[in-house]
Amino acid sequence: MAWKIGSGKGEWFHALQLPGMHKKGITCLAGRMVSDTIAIFASTSSDGIVVIWEMAIEPTTGGDCKVTCLHSLSVGLKPMVSLSLAVLPGQGGYLILAMGGLDHKIHIYCGDKAGKFIKACELKGHSDWIRSLDFSLPVMMDGERHNLFLVSSSQDRTIRIWKMTSEAAASGSSLQLRKETIEMTSYIEGPLFVAGSTSYQVSLESLLVGHEDWVYSVEWQPPTLLTGDEAHQPMSILSASMDKMMMIWRPEKTTGLWIDSVTVGELSHSALGFYGGLWQPDGRSILAHGYGGSFHMWRDVGLDSENWQPQIVPSGHFAPVSDLTWARSGQYLLSVSHDQTTRIFAPWRNQVNPGDMIYWREIARPQIHGHDLNCVTFIQGSGNHRFVSGADEKVSRVFEAPLSFLKTLQQATLLKPDISEDFDNVQVLGANMSALGLSQKPIYTHGVKESSISNSNDGPDSMETIPDAVPTVFTEPPVEDQLAWNTLWPESHKLYGHGNELFSICCDYEGKLVASSCKAQSAAVAEIWLWEVGTWKAVARLQSHSLTVTQMEFSRNNAFLLSVSRDRHLSIFSIRKTEGGAEHRLVAKLEAHKRIIWACSWNPFGYEFATGSRDKSVKIWCVEDASSVKLLATLPQFRDSVTALAWMGRDRASNAGIVAAGMDNGLIELWSVSGGRASSGTQLSVACVLRFDPLLCHVSTVHRLRWRCSTDEKSTLELASCGADHTVRVFEVCGSI
């Protein structure tokens, strides 16, 4: 696809769809502007085909662009994975295309602007797959003609710089003589090729060895513009490797030897290497992207000398986000994902100017697990911040906030801690990840100095062990390396009992009971377990469903527990907390929908609740006389399966509220609901009040919706959503709705 950026607000929009010339996935694109309105670019695919394209761009504002296929090259059974395209110096009408791939060679093709490329030569030297190629701008060196440099990186852990020097080709005989004279030293100077009336001598300028793993990316520093149309090419190369390092290579001023003048990277065990690196256009910042889709940025903040420091970058999940929940005070958002992490996002306020724009940042990563995480609930009530998560394992895990997080949260929100948050009673500073297990062990405030002393006495094999975390109180948003290692929460309890992987979990509003369910294909396994908060003992096992319970929720007064299931039934249990545990009774069970029921939500002001199903319907129900369930209304059919629901109360007197519905196609709608109480004799009134702009919504299944419960008197509401498109979104909803 071709995308275009608008001249006004800088928004990108879809320009056109390119014809499908490739039969398999595209692995690389490379292009070059050859005039003000014409661009030539090449694409390569795992189908072994390289296609040359021409894009004509109309110079007028908002003008269309046209793309045509100029040429197609077949490279055989070993496809190319990297490309680079440049204009040959001294030959304004000729282009040079370098391609590298699985055969360990760099293939050089020359062609004109008409797109007819022919093979010129091969460059040998690498001993493994070639991962990246990049041409420089023509460079004038020591009074020579313009030279063109090509840098290549490979899985053999090396980087090679190739120099292409232009020489006039007077005749074929002189060219042949030149070939004969350099035959004995061809391993140094390399091959010779001709484009138009100019011949080009290729030589190996330098071999760079410094990385300890595959080098995935190399890139020349972007040129700096001089007067007129001239540009200066800095002799500086950025490389990124799977050894978790990025290096900047430059020739030494005295000897001219290329050396790594700058090295930055992630030293923790959590980073699995860099897949690529980029320069900022001014050359003052560099950006790497890692295995988990994470960004890592450094900026040169030095005045007289270089001083590269890590910078704050956006972060988020890199797999479907399965569940989310607000903290009890609405201060932050907790989400879990199939990327096996739990993350906390909060609005970070500027301490210098609190009135400035507020940015949402990831402020902690409490859990890094070995299984995909499916569900999470926050423990309500007083006391320290706690949550329970469930994953693709038979165990629920309870986590408690360490002292370092509580103080960081205070820095982020600029709010005084709750009365219930007594920092003196929190003795845990942070957590360490066990080297061989899935548990996160606490680091106590009185044991920090002792652990540092013991670490200094480790034997020579200590490099093979995972280093201790360093819990930190952050005064600015943490960067990726800090998030992945220094913001863990200690695990306080494990809840054993379920026979299969955890699927759904919820907590009552007093913070006394937690309900959990697992994947099930029989009634015996589909039980809902109730756990007592504090003792963490199983106090009840609720039987009703025959297949997986997909979602559960307590009523606002904790009198009822609502559950919905893949068996198309909903169940209402009456729950009463006792000194010895909990008493429960099945109030009602009925087949509520024709397909799987994915979602449910209670009205905060009463005993009405909503259910959403794969049958594309949402139904409003009511518990009557604590003994039966009555259907109040069925909303008009939705455009897709309803996968998430959240009911927010607006006015208790009129029993008015807003139901947010998320669908399988990623869209979100808001419905106003009011009336429906038997005591008042009013009919239930429902109406669709807002359909979110598709550009704001998810592009895949909405997994969960949660309204923010805030004590602040604000005219706007905040709705959080998560989905299969790996994103967490927070929407501001105008209070006039």
Side-chain angles (χ1 to χ4, degrees):
M1 292 185 180
W3 299 81
K4 194 172 182 179
I5 188 169
S7 58
K9 297 181 180 179
E11 297 178 351
W12 289 88
F13 60 91
H14 179 244
L16 57 88
Q17 174 76 47
L18 274 66
M21 299 296 294
H22 294 288
K23 298 178 181 178
K24 294 184 179 179
I26 296 173
T27 56
C28 187
L29 288 170
R32 187 74 67 169
M33 292 294 297
V34 295
S35 71
D36 293 338
T37 58
I38 301 295
I40 303 291
F41 66 96
S43 62
T44 182
S45 165
S46 51
D47 60 6
I49 301 295
V50 177
V51 180
I52 312 298
W53 308 82
E54 180 187 72
M55 177 181 288
I57 306 167
E58 292 186 8
T60 58
T61 303
D64 296 332
C65 62
K66 298 180 181 179
V67 175
T68 55
C69 176
L70 300 180
H71 193 44
S72 179
L73 303 170
S74 177
V75 296
L77 298 177
K78 294 186 177 181
M80 301 292 113
V81 295
S82 56
L83 300 172
S84 186
L85 191 66
V87 177
L88 280 169
Q91 294 287 331
Y94 282 86
L95 301 172
I96 181 170
L97 173 65
M99 58 179 76
L102 279 59
D103 61 357
H104 311 172
K105 302 174 185 176
I106 300 173
H107 302 266
I108 303 296
Y109 283 76
C110 291
D112 53 22
K113 293 182 180 179
K116 300 300 181 182
F117 281 76
I118 58 173
K119 189 168 184 177
C121 63
E122 294 179 354
L123 306 181
K124 301 177 181 179
H126 288 294
S127 58
D128 208 332
W129 291 8
I130 295 168
R131 281 293 178 180
S132 181
L133 296 166
D134 191 33
F135 277 112
S136 70
L137 288 183
V139 178
M140 179 77 76
M141 296 181 64
D142 301 328
E144 299 178 359
R145 292 173 175 267
H146 285 295
N147 300 302
L148 192 66
F149 288 90
L150 171 67
V151 60
S152 62
S153 68
S154 168
Q155 291 182 183
D156 63 9
R157 309 181 183 183
T158 66
I159 301 167
R160 291 173 179 261
I161 303 175
W162 310 86
K163 179 180 176 182
M164 301 178 184
T165 306
S166 60
E167 299 178 0
S171 64
S173 59
S174 61
L175 177 60
Q176 183 66 31
L177 179 62
R178 174 64 177 161
K179 284 187 176 182
E180 291 176 358
T181 58
I182 66 167
E183 187 174 359
M184 296 299 295
T185 58
S186 59
Y187 68 94
I188 297 174
E189 293 190 330
L192 190 73
F193 65 91
V194 177
S197 60
T198 307
S199 64
Y200 296 87
Q201 176 66 58
V202 182
S203 61
L204 181 63
E205 172 74 8
S206 185
L207 172 64
L208 310 182
V209 180
H211 287 292
E212 298 177 357
D213 210 332
W214 297 356
V215 186
Y216 259 94
S217 165
V218 284
E219 183 182 33
W220 288 95
Q221 182 175 336
T224 55
L225 295 177
L226 303 177
T227 56
D229 295 333
E230 295 184 1
H232 168 67
Q233 173 66 66
M235 298 301 286
S236 184
I237 295 171
L238 174 67
S239 62
S241 168
M242 287 296 287
D243 64 3
K244 313 169 194 173
M245 295 291 178
M246 284 205 301
M247 296 182 180
I248 298 177
W249 304 82
R250 299 188 182 104
E252 197 177 27
K253 293 182 179 180
T254 55
T255 63
L257 296 176
W258 286 78
I259 59 172
D260 55 322
S261 60
V262 176
T263 301
V264 296
E266 303 292 357
L267 299 178
S268 75
H269 80 289
S270 56
L272 296 179
F274 296 149
Y275 281 153
L278 292 171
W279 289 95
Q280 190 178 11
D282 63 3
R284 298 283 292 177
S285 296
I286 53 177
L287 178 73
H289 61 94
Y291 164 77
S294 58
F295 290 127
H296 309 257
M297 187 171 76
W298 289 266
R299 183 166 181 81
D300 181 12
V301 296
L303 298 176
D304 299 328
S305 60
E306 286 186 298
N307 180 16
W308 293 83
Q309 294 296 323
Q311 302 295 304
I312 301 168
V313 292
S315 64
H317 292 286
F318 60 93
V321 186
S322 48
D323 200 359
L324 56 75
T325 182
W326 289 97
R328 59 177 176 236
S329 57
Q331 288 178 302
Y332 58 87
L333 190 62
L334 186 74
S335 61
V336 295
S337 166
H338 291 173
D339 67 8
Q340 305 182 353
T341 65
T342 301
R343 304 182 187 226
I344 290 178
F345 300 93
W348 194 285
R349 301 175 186 272
N350 190 326
Q351 295 187 16
V352 179
N353 298 306
D356 288 354
M357 183 178 292
I358 300 172
Y359 295 95
W360 282 78
R361 303 290 189 188
E362 183 181 354
I363 65 170
R365 204 165 294 174
Q367 184 183 11
I368 298 176
H369 204 39
H371 297 285
D372 293 359
L373 291 159
N374 298 323
C375 51
V376 67
T377 187
F378 203 90
I379 305 299
Q380 304 299 319
S382 60
N384 194 7
H385 299 231
R386 291 175 293 178
F387 71 88
V388 186
S389 66
D392 278 344
E393 56 176 345
K394 303 175 184 180
V395 183
S396 301
R397 298 173 185 269
V398 184
F399 296 86
E400 188 166 341
L403 185 61
S404 58
F405 170 79
L406 298 176
K407 293 184 177 180
T408 296
L409 181 64
Q410 192 176 349
Q411 294 282 343
T413 59
L414 299 182
L415 298 175
K416 295 181 179 179
D418 294 341
I419 298 175
S420 60
E421 293 177 3
D422 186 356
F423 290 173
D424 294 335
N425 292 333
V426 180
Q427 299 298 318
V428 178
L429 186 62
N432 267 324
M433 175 63 73
S434 174
L436 298 178
L438 299 173
S439 300
Q440 294 171 193
K441 305 299 183 183
I443 300 174
Y444 293 98
T445 53
H446 58 268
V448 176
K449 295 182 179 179
E450 297 175 7
S451 63
S452 62
I453 294 173
S454 62
N455 287 343
S456 63
N457 296 327
D458 285 344
D461 295 333
S462 61
M463 291 298 290
E464 298 299 324
T465 63
I466 294 179
D468 283 341
V470 183
T472 307
V473 178
F474 296 102
T475 56
E476 60 181 15
V479 296
E480 178 67 26
D481 192 32
Q482 296 166 330
L483 285 168
W485 193 231
N486 296 330
T487 62
L488 295 172
W489 287 22
E491 179 184 312
S492 59
H493 293 87
K494 296 182 180 69
L495 310 182
Y496 295 95
H498 287 290
N500 284 329
E501 298 90 342
L502 271 294
F503 194 83
S504 178
I505 199 165
C506 70
C507 179
D508 70 354
Y509 289 91
E510 292 181 350
K512 294 181 178 180
L513 291 174
V514 169
S516 62
S517 69
C518 69
K519 297 177 182 178
Q521 294 186 348
S522 65
V525 183
E527 293 178 324
I528 298 171
W529 286 58
L530 291 183
W531 310 86
E532 185 179 41
V533 175
T535 64
W536 297 111
K537 294 180 180 179
V539 293
R541 294 164 67 172
L542 284 55
Q543 296 181 345
S544 175
H545 297 285
S546 58
L547 293 175
T548 304
V549 175
T550 54
Q551 191 177 358
M552 303 171 291
E553 188 173 305
F554 284 91
S555 61
R556 192 55 58 101
N557 65 354
N558 301 316
F560 297 106
L561 174 65
L562 165 65
S563 63
V564 294
S565 167
R566 297 178 70 96
D567 63 10
R568 309 175 186 179
H569 287 72
L570 68 83
S571 297
I572 300 288
F573 300 90
S574 66
I575 305 292
R576 189 171 72 88
K577 182 74 174 66
T578 63
E579 292 183 2
E583 294 180 355
H584 63 90
R585 177 177 63 88
L586 179 62
V587 173
K589 175 185 177 181
L590 66 151
E591 185 172 352
H593 291 268
K594 298 178 181 179
R595 304 289 298 276
I596 293 173
I597 308 176
W598 286 121
C600 62
S601 185
W602 284 98
N603 174 13
F605 298 148
Y607 291 148
E608 298 84 14
F609 61 90
T611 57
S613 168
R614 183 180 281 178
D615 63 10
K616 303 181 182 180
S617 70
V618 171
K619 296 182 179 182
I620 310 296
W621 310 79
C622 180
V623 179
E624 290 187 329
D625 303 324
S627 59
S628 63
V629 172
K630 177 185 177 181
L631 177 63
L632 297 180
T634 300
L635 273 61
Q637 191 168 30
F638 286 73
R639 289 175 282 180
D640 207 338
S641 303
V642 179
T643 55
L645 290 172
W647 195 322
M648 163 63 79
R650 295 292 281 162
D651 181 58
R652 185 179 294 274
S654 60
N655 198 29
I658 300 174
V659 175
M663 289 173 276
D664 203 26
N665 57 11
L667 299 181
I668 299 173
E669 296 182 0
L670 298 185
W671 290 73
S672 67
V673 182
S674 61
R677 284 179 178 165
S679 58
S680 62
T682 58
Q683 294 292 324
L684 186 73
S685 173
V686 296
C688 182
V689 293
L690 180 64
R691 288 187 172 95
F692 284 22
D693 187 336
L695 293 177
L696 298 177
C697 295
H698 298 272
V699 296
S700 189
T701 306
V702 180
H703 283 156
R704 194 72 75 228
L705 293 169
R706 300 284 189 194
W707 290 101
R708 184 180 190 180
C709 298
S710 177
T711 56
D712 299 337
E713 295 294 332
K714 298 193 302 183
S715 60
T716 58
L717 303 173
E718 290 185 0
L719 175 67
S721 68
C722 65
D725 60 357
H726 309 182
T727 63
V728 174
R729 300 168 187 256
V730 179
F731 302 95
E732 271 195 352
V733 182
C734 178
S736 60
I737 291 179

